[in-house]
Amino acid sequence: MVSSEKSARAGAPGRRAGTRGRPRSFDRATALEKALMAFWEHGYEATSVSDLTRVMDIGAPSLYAAFGDKRSLFEEVVQEYGARYGSFGARALAEEPTARAGAARMLREAAAEYTAPGRPHGCLVVHAAANCSTPEVEESLRRRRNANIAEIKSRIEADVAAGVLPPDTDATALARHTGAMIQGMSQQARDGASRAELETLAEIALAVWPRA
């Protein structure tokens, strides 16, 4: 009788041999978004693996299996951030007819993006570098910031060559000025500056741009 009961339980619907002890499945995209928000809010260094497993609602083995180590996860987070939240600058430069118009749109959209409700303020790429003591991560973020400035500089140089901007325009200085304003707006947003206040800064920043 006991043997029959065991057999019945073993063959009961919904029970399969070997399922005990399997890790709970999770939605990878949702977990990645939660990691993104954690890094965006706290930066790279201050976000521990235990913080990540807690907010992602997965165990450490699942995190390592799905994303690799913390640094690998962060690299994927930065890629995702760039695609979903940080691409407004590149679009502005590509879509506007002049470098000045592109910079104006970029600065104004930064004011909106960096203060958007429902998510951390500022820029993840700027904030994550604060107090970062991991050289590889620090260098990766530096390359991204410098690449953004290089894009602005290239657009300015194209306008100088086309006669849209004066021939004596210092493309390097103007690009770095624009990059410094965007990075500064990120920190100002984290310190509580409103969208309107950042938009005012954007207009002041544009006043230094030369006209043809």
Side-chain angles (χ1 to χ4, degrees):
M1 186 69 174
V2 173
S3 176
S4 298
E5 289 176 355
K6 287 183 177 178
S7 298
R9 287 198 300 269
R15 295 292 298 269
R16 292 182 297 172
T19 59
R20 181 175 298 176
R22 286 184 183 175
R24 179 170 53 85
S25 63
F26 67 95
D27 183 272
R28 193 180 191 281
T30 299
L32 181 63
E33 177 71 6
K34 290 178 179 178
L36 188 156
M37 291 297 165
F39 280 124
W40 194 350
E41 177 65 34
H42 303 292
Y44 178 80
E45 210 66 41
T47 305
S48 67
V49 171
S50 61
D51 292 331
L52 291 167
T53 57
R54 185 183 69 256
V55 300
M56 297 166 77
D57 194 25
I58 59 175
S62 294
L63 186 152
Y64 292 128
F67 300 102
D69 59 12
K70 175 184 168 181
R71 201 177 93 196
S72 298
L73 171 59
F74 181 70
E75 289 173 359
E76 189 168 344
V77 157
V78 171
Q79 292 285 347
E80 182 73 6
Y81 172 83
R84 294 190 57 188
Y85 303 104
S87 59
F88 63 89
R91 284 198 308 270
L93 289 176
E95 295 172 2
E96 294 300 321
T98 66
R100 189 184 189 282
R105 175 175 158 185
M106 185 189 310
L107 289 165
R108 290 165 185 150
E109 290 189 5
E113 291 291 333
Y114 291 169
T115 58
R119 65 191 197 212
H121 285 178
C123 172
L124 180 147
V125 174
V126 173
H127 176 58
N131 301 317
C132 182
S133 60
T134 305
E136 296 85 356
V137 172
E138 188 178 19
E139 176 58 27
S140 175
L141 295 172
R142 183 184 300 113
R143 283 198 304 268
R144 285 182 171 275
R145 294 192 300 273
N146 285 337
N148 291 338
I149 293 173
E151 287 181 10
I152 301 170
K153 179 184 175 183
S154 177
R155 193 71 174 83
I156 294 169
E157 289 174 336
D159 277 10
V160 172
V164 176
L165 288 171
D168 61 348
T169 299
D170 189 333
T172 299
L174 194 54
R176 288 205 170 276
H177 171 266
T178 305
M181 287 303 304
I182 291 174
Q183 292 171 21
M185 288 168 70
S186 170
Q187 185 58 53
Q188 288 285 309
R190 293 192 68 86
D191 288 344
S194 68
R195 174 177 177 175
E197 289 171 329
L198 295 183
E199 287 174 340
T200 300
L201 289 180
E203 295 307 315
I204 294 172
L206 290 169
V208 308
W209 276 69
R211 297 185 179 273

